[in-house]
Amino acid sequence: MGKRAFVASAALLTLLVLVVQAVWAVSLPGFRGPDEPHHVNSILRLASGGGWPSPGHARVGSSVIEAARESGTITSSAEGFSGLARTKLGNDRAEPRTEPPFPTYFRNRQVTPHEERSATGSVPRLDPSSSEIDQMSQHPPVYYAGGALVTDLFNLDQQPWDRMLLGLRLYGIVLTLPLIPSLIYTARKLGARRTWALAAGFLPFGIPQYFAITAGVTNDALAIGAGALVVAALVKAGTERIRPATVALVALSLGLALWSKGLLLAFGLALILVFALKRDETWRARIAAIAASGVGALVIGWWWIHNIIRFGVIQPSGFPREVPDGWDPSMAEFPTFLGVAWRSITTSFFSAFGWLESDFHPVLTTALMLALIGLLVWAGINAGEHRRTFLAIVSPALGTVPLLLAESWSAYTSYGTIAGVQGRYFYPFLAVLGAIVLGLRPLRGRAIVVVAAVNLAIGAYGFIFLLNSAYPGYPWIDFPRYALVAGVSEAVLTIILEILVAAYVAAFVLAAYVGVKESGLTLSAEDRALPWSGFARRRRPASDSVTIPEDSGRG
């Protein structure tokens, strides 16, 4: 595959993913993403001149709460978003309550038509009529400042809340644009042929929750896009000689990414390893690169240093927690905790749409997670001369697991609730999954089509699952209610869904095209072999810093 066709295919695939994300944004009921009302409130507060108060010192405006009532996300009498105040989507797999109070299901909740929907207007820092804490000021303000600029530019706070939500959702989707190019770039730099690098770009389709999360207003969008750029910078640093420009790129990308979420601090481990594991550099050069890039990243992303100086912790809590009556730390059971944590991570990595409620069957999510882990392990075994770089970029995700478990266990023993173990917390590291194709390189064109088709099928199933959870009806969904909630006519909604179908068809055609290109390549015996099979014989004196040759007809 030539370079021009490769770049054009990558651009087309990126566009198709953005189109699918946009359709999810139209389809997700209003304020239905995790903490979406609070993210919206912080954006509107900044747009209204309310600033960025200390964590716990802001409240959700009454106009935002009223908009959420109109959307059907909370009950008509709710004053906040916790517990039974929220309506429930279908397919939640929760044990049904046998005693009152009973939950209200979204399908039974009246939704205000688009023509009667209110505008939020200005949002004060402390609305005296609201008691709902807006905890989002525990995060850096960059994502919210960008949303405030979009709000001011298009006067979104003066529009009906559904149009305001859609505008902010599309803003977030644009921020995730680097993910697909970074997936492809990661695969390519680690040694995949252009055809298999493109196959890596189909992987997000196999994670429907990625589309559900980015369909809502959330700072996860910035974390995903920024995290993807950090992965790309680290891969470049790991596969090339240490140079000032590469060190600066790592520092700049990570420093800017630290303005999204605290989770991206985990990239510090990869920063250390990607330079420390370079065998063909002196230790003096490695240590200098680690020090320069690490200090540079912390200086650029100084928000966390500010937190330590101002609050004494890396990230202060945005809202207080209370110990429930009758709870004692001795009641916490570690095996129970691990079981719940595993189910929570696996389920919410692939599904748990809405406020983490509409779940795939746990057997399916467990199978998908085990397959993903297996492919990553296989890729590591077959990473060849870039194995050290592979291990470096995977390390933040691996290191995040014990950190999340430790924090969740601490909260569990203190408050009796197992929380904070969500699959979406790994999304800033999604670009690492581009390395999965390293173990598949000996396979030919049909394998690329199969990989793409499987991911596309999972993505299509996830979208249908969302619609069935939010708009159940005959023959497959309640189409009039779907249009009512989305705030568009049935004719417009039909066109939107036809665009979605066209995007999926185009993605499959693209996969077939890439598969044909792969099948037409003439591979050497070394290309056809798995890298580990002859690793001992082919060992080279120069380690991880190997330049990938142009395909020139081979890939």
Side-chain angles (χ1 to χ4, degrees):
M1 171 178 276
K3 184 176 181 180
R4 182 176 297 180
F6 174 66
V7 172
S9 298
L12 176 58
L13 184 55
T14 301
L15 175 62
L16 293 175
V17 171
L18 292 176
V19 169
V20 174
Q21 287 178 268
V23 176
W24 276 76
V26 172
S27 304
L28 185 71
F31 302 102
R32 204 78 219 187
D35 298 321
E36 188 171 18
H38 306 78
H39 291 293
V40 168
N41 187 81
S42 283
I43 289 174
L44 296 177
R45 185 185 64 249
L46 271 178
S48 304
W52 203 248
S54 298
H57 289 78
R59 296 177 188 166
V60 177
S62 56
S63 61
V64 175
I65 295 176
E66 176 58 28
R69 293 194 196 102
E70 294 179 7
S71 73
T73 289
I74 56 177
T75 61
S76 58
S77 59
E79 298 294 335
F81 298 89
S82 60
L84 294 176
R86 288 201 311 268
T87 58
K88 299 180 67 175
L89 298 181
N91 298 315
D92 60 355
R93 301 193 186 281
E95 291 292 331
R97 297 177 66 95
T98 58
E99 297 180 356
F102 296 106
T104 301
Y105 278 88
F106 176 70
R107 63 175 176 267
N108 299 323
R109 177 78 166 83
Q110 183 176 356
V111 175
T112 301
H114 167 72
E115 297 77 12
E116 302 173 19
R117 292 174 182 174
S118 61
T120 57
S122 298
V123 171
R125 176 182 292 200
L126 287 172
D127 190 328
S129 62
S130 172
S131 60
E132 178 75 9
I133 297 294
D134 178 0
Q135 75 274 24
M136 292 307 155
S137 57
Q138 68 182 345
H139 297 297
V142 170
Y143 164 79
Y144 304 92
L149 289 175
V150 173
T151 299
D152 289 339
L153 182 62
F154 296 101
N155 294 317
L156 295 181
D157 56 345
Q158 304 304 317
Q159 306 295 325
W161 57 259
D162 56 343
R163 298 299 184 258
M164 177 269 295
L165 267 184
L166 183 59
L168 292 179
R169 287 174 171 182
L170 294 176
Y171 153 69
I173 288 171
V174 170
L175 296 179
T176 67
L177 187 149
L179 177 60
I180 304 303
S182 295
L183 276 163
I184 296 171
Y185 180 84
T186 297
R188 180 70 178 139
K189 289 292 284 184
L190 291 178
R193 296 185 295 279
R194 286 172 177 163
T195 47
W196 271 110
L198 287 169
F202 287 88
L203 293 173
F205 285 106
I207 309 174
Q209 179 72 332
Y210 166 75
F211 293 92
I213 291 297
T214 58
V217 179
T218 173
N219 62 354
D220 287 330
L222 178 59
I224 290 168
L229 292 176
V230 175
V231 172
L234 289 170
V235 169
K236 180 178 177 62
T239 55
E240 298 179 3
R241 297 298 299 264
I242 293 177
R243 295 180 292 112
T246 306
V247 172
L249 181 62
V250 171
L252 179 63
S253 62
L254 180 53
L256 294 177
L258 291 179
W259 284 95
S260 59
K261 296 189 78 165
L263 282 170
L264 280 84
L265 287 166
F267 274 118
L269 178 59
L271 180 150
I272 294 172
L273 292 178
V274 81
F275 290 117
L277 294 178
K278 296 180 75 67
R279 291 176 297 184
D280 53 342
E281 303 281 359
T282 66
W283 271 108
R284 182 177 180 179
R286 298 185 223 181
I287 293 173
I290 293 170
S293 57
V295 171
L298 288 176
V299 170
I300 296 171
W302 56 264
W303 175 262
W304 309 102
I305 298 175
H306 159 79
N307 278 351
I308 293 173
I309 295 173
R310 173 66 178 83
F311 303 107
V313 294
I314 293 177
Q315 179 169 298
S317 177
F319 56 90
R321 290 180 176 178
E322 297 181 356
V323 179
D325 295 336
W327 174 255
D328 186 271
S330 62
M331 299 168 63
E333 298 179 353
F334 193 67
T336 300
F337 165 77
L338 286 180
V340 173
W342 167 258
R343 287 194 299 273
S344 177
I345 291 175
T346 55
T347 300
S348 61
F349 188 87
F350 293 101
S351 62
F353 308 139
W355 283 59
L356 306 178
E357 48 196 317
S358 296
D359 303 335
F360 290 168
H361 194 284
V363 172
L364 174 59
T365 54
T366 297
L368 290 174
M369 181 60 73
L370 291 177
L372 188 64
I373 294 172
L375 286 170
L376 276 173
V377 171
W378 186 242
I381 293 172
N382 293 286
E385 60 263 22
H386 296 304
R387 185 176 291 106
R388 294 185 176 211
T389 299
F390 170 84
L391 293 175
I393 65 172
V394 170
S395 64
L398 297 178
T400 298
V401 174
L403 291 177
L404 289 180
L405 292 178
E407 183 177 359
S408 182
W409 172 255
S410 176
Y412 176 40
T413 56
S414 300
Y415 306 106
T417 301
I418 301 176
V421 278
Q422 300 179 27
R424 66 187 174 103
Y425 292 156
F426 295 91
Y427 286 1
F429 317 121
L430 278 179
V432 172
L433 296 183
I436 279 180
V437 300
L438 297 181
L440 306 177
R441 285 176 290 177
L443 304 178
R444 302 311 309 275
R446 290 182 181 178
I448 289 179
V449 178
V450 169
V451 168
V454 169
N455 283 282
L456 289 169
I458 295 172
Y461 171 72
F463 183 71
I464 294 171
F465 191 91
L466 167 71
L467 298 186
N468 181 257
S469 300
Y471 318 109
Y474 180 84
W476 62 297
I477 59 169
D478 185 341
F479 200 83
R481 180 171 173 83
Y482 181 12
L484 169 67
V485 172
V488 297
S489 68
E490 293 183 36
V492 170
L493 184 58
T494 300
I495 294 174
I496 291 173
L497 292 181
E498 288 171 347
I499 291 174
L500 177 68
V501 172
Y504 267 89
V505 171
F508 182 79
V509 171
L510 176 60
Y513 167 76
V514 174
V516 169
K517 288 293 185 180
E518 167 66 24
S519 297
L521 301 177
T522 301
L523 303 185
S524 66
E526 183 176 358
D527 286 329
R528 291 193 298 269
L530 290 169
W532 68 268
S533 60
F535 182 70
R537 297 191 303 273
R538 300 195 309 270
R539 203 165 198 173
R540 302 176 183 179
S543 66
D544 229 13
S545 299
V546 177
T547 302
I548 299 174
E550 289 301 316
D551 287 329
S552 47
R554 293 199 310 125

